[in-house]
């Protein structure tokens, strides 16, 4: 199992959804970096479950206990290990899943990959619960990036088919505002329509998906390495590691396929003595290297696969077809809590590239 990622910054994730604890080891942050417990707690709270009707009823405090790598609120330069206790598990909800696999989940693929020895409770190591350690690592990286004048923030670009307005003004103030919101949107009037669609899905024992758009400002030109260390490659590899992410695009993304070169190219210009571009169809990255424009990346989040509606599946022991109705506590929409997770993935990838 590949539990380690990174070149200059290495992260190692561990734990299962219903095990004793989950956590992350972060290796490579510079000695002397301030460790802001309040910033970590804020980011963890944004992802934490059980805070509203829009998330799972499983309540976890998600308080991180740092057991190494920090002394007197400063990074020592050695690996930082953060542990998050699992305090509210209900494993009985997952009895029988070793033989009756859930559609849209890793029950079947995990069982085949690990010869049936995988922990199936709550999805085990495949669970979205494992994004909590990712947010912890991202919070550490946020502090590093802020020290370099770089701000990262994200909003709900689409939920249940309802689209938010595009980010016309992309600056640190806007991105900070997103982080301070429980339901970050450019056009806050869209919240009611999105939430009504979500309520309809809940009433139908179903779930919805959406798109999260993340932006980076303050990053200069020259960050990233072709070919395999390109900025897009690093960011995308972490985004696709997040459970439920099924698509990633930068800048105009798939829209560039319908453009001519004269439309897709971003004309260069001078703004306040700096080289910039008139448009940002390339999402702030050219040749895998930052060009000083805001980095824009979007991640498509699939609907939560755990739904109470009857679905068709198979019994892998008897090799027969059957039906399944999934019980337990699950998010009707992953998008809302995943905003901080997408930010974390981007921040970790940027820190790896900058170190």
């Amino acid at each position: 199992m590949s539990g380690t990622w990174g070149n200059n910054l290495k992260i190692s994730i561990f734990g299962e959804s219903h095990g004793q604890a989950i956590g992350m080891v972060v290796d490579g942050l510079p000695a002397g970096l301030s460790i802001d417990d309040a910033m970590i707690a804020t980011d963890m709270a944004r992802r934490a479950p059980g805070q509203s009707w829009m998330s799972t009823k499983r309540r976890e405090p998600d308080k991180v206990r740092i057991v190494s790598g920090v002394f007197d609120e400063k990074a020592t330069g050695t690996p930082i290990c953060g542990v998050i206790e699992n305090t509210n598990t209900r494993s009985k909800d997952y009895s029988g899943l070793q033989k009756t696999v859930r559609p849209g989940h890793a029950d079947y693929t995990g069982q085949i990959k690990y010869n049936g020895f995988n922990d199936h409770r709550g999805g085990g190591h495949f669970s979205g619960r494992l994004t909590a350690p990712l947010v912890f690592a991202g919070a550490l990286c946020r502090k590093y990036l802020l020290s370099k004048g770089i701000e990262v923030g994200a909003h709900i670009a689409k939920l249940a088919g309802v689209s938010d307005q595009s980010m016309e003004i992309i600056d640190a103030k806007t991105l900070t505002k997103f982080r301070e919101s429980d339901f970050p949107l450019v056009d806050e009037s869209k919240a009611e329509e999105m939430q009504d669609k979500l309520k309809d899905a809940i009433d139908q024992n179903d779930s919805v998906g959406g798109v999260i758009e993340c932006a980076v400002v303050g990053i200069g030109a020259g960050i990233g390495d072709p070919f395999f260390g390109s900025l897009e490659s690093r960011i995308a590899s972490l985004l696709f590691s997040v459970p439920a992410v099924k698509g990633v695009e930068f800048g105009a993304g798939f829209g560039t396929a319908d453009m001519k070169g004269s439309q897709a190219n971003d004309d260069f210009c001078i703004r306040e003595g700096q080289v910039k571009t008139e448009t940002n169809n390339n999402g702030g990255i050219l040749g895998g290297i930052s060009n000083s424009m805001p980095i824009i990346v979007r991640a498509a989040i699939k609907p939560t696969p755990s739904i109470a509606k009857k679905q068709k599946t198979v019994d892998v022991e008897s090799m027969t077809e059957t039906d399944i109705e999934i019980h337990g506590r699950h998010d009707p929409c992953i998008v809302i809590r995943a905003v901080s997770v997408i930010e974390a993935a981007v921040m970790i990838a940027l820190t790896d590239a900058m170190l």
Side-chain angles (χ1 to χ4, degrees):
M1 181 175 285
S2 178
T4 301
W5 179 95
N7 297 310
N8 307 306
L9 179 78
K10 292 189 181 297
I11 59 173
S12 297
I13 196 167
F14 60 86
E16 291 81 31
S17 178
H18 285 214
Q20 292 185 20
I22 54 178
M24 184 79 81
V25 178
V26 182
D27 189 8
L29 288 172
L33 177 69
S34 294
I35 304 301
D36 191 331
D37 290 337
M39 182 177 290
I40 293 171
T42 297
D43 277 356
M44 295 301 297
R46 293 168 63 209
R47 195 222 69 95
Q51 300 189 80
S52 78
W53 64 269
M54 293 181 283
S55 75
T56 172
K57 297 301 183 290
R58 176 179 177 178
R59 295 187 64 86
E60 294 281 2
D62 280 358
K63 180 175 175 57
V64 182
R65 181 165 57 92
I66 298 177
V67 298
S68 69
V70 177
F71 182 69
D72 284 344
E73 300 181 343
K74 302 287 186 182
T76 63
T78 58
I80 298 173
C81 178
V83 178
I84 304 164
E85 304 290 337
N86 288 326
T87 64
N88 188 9
T89 59
R90 238 169 47 184
S91 299
K92 62 181 177 60
D93 290 338
Y94 299 90
S95 59
L97 294 184
Q98 287 173 301
K99 65 174 187 175
T100 308
V101 295
R102 297 170 295 174
H105 278 277
D107 297 338
Y108 174 68
T109 52
Q111 188 177 125
I112 296 299
K113 175 72 175 178
Y114 300 112
N115 300 313
F117 291 104
N118 57 300
D119 183 348
H120 67 278
R121 301 169 302 166
H125 193 70
F126 298 97
S127 171
R129 177 88 183 116
L130 272 292
T131 59
L134 199 67
V135 172
F136 163 63
L140 297 177
C141 293
R142 188 189 297 281
K143 189 67 176 180
Y144 172 78
L145 294 172
L146 286 172
S147 73
K148 305 294 182 183
I150 298 170
E151 184 71 73
V152 179
H155 72 113
I156 301 169
K158 181 183 286 188
L159 192 147
V162 180
S163 296
D164 186 22
Q165 182 180 319
S166 297
M167 287 190 283
E168 295 180 358
I169 299 175
I170 307 173
D171 56 16
K173 183 179 179 180
T174 300
L175 301 187
T176 300
K177 181 183 176 183
F178 288 156
R179 293 211 319 273
E180 294 172 347
S181 172
D182 295 330
F183 202 89
L185 295 169
V186 175
D187 181 358
E188 294 179 354
S189 69
K190 294 287 187 179
E192 184 176 359
E193 185 179 0
M194 289 180 176
Q195 291 175 18
D196 284 344
K197 292 277 191 180
L198 179 53
K199 288 176 184 175
D200 289 343
I202 294 172
D203 290 342
Q204 297 167 26
N205 290 329
D206 220 327
S207 62
V208 297
V211 175
I212 296 169
E213 183 176 53
C214 186
V216 182
V217 297
I219 187 167
I223 305 300
D225 305 281
F227 266 55
F228 306 121
S230 76
L231 215 46
E232 291 113 325
S233 300
R234 294 176 198 247
I235 293 172
S237 70
L238 268 183
L239 287 177
F240 277 123
S241 298
V242 176
V245 170
K246 302 303 289 185
V248 171
E249 65 175 1
F250 293 84
F254 282 93
T256 58
D258 299 323
M259 296 180 183
K260 294 179 179 178
S262 57
Q263 297 171 309
N265 289 343
D266 299 308
D267 290 346
F268 284 104
C269 60
I270 302 295
R271 294 286 182 269
E272 298 179 354
Q274 295 183 322
V275 175
K276 298 291 182 179
T277 59
E278 295 282 3
T279 54
N280 196 18
N281 291 319
N282 287 279
I285 303 172
L286 292 169
I289 302 169
S290 64
N291 66 2
S292 83
M293 291 294 289
I295 294 173
I296 305 293
V297 58
R298 285 174 291 278
I301 312 292
K302 74 177 185 178
T304 313
S306 292
I307 57 176
K309 181 172 286 191
K310 185 180 289 186
Q311 301 174 86
K312 293 185 180 299
T313 186
V314 297
D315 183 318
V316 294
E317 281 189 4
S318 64
M319 291 303 289
T320 57
E321 296 181 356
T322 186
D323 294 329
I324 187 172
E325 293 178 17
I326 299 172
H327 303 288
R329 302 164 296 174
H330 307 284
D331 291 83
C333 178
I334 301 169
V335 176
I336 304 160
R337 290 173 55 217
V339 171
S340 61
V341 180
I342 298 306
E343 286 180 13
V346 172
M347 291 187 292
I348 294 167
L350 288 177
T351 301
D352 181 52
M354 293 183 68
L355 288 171

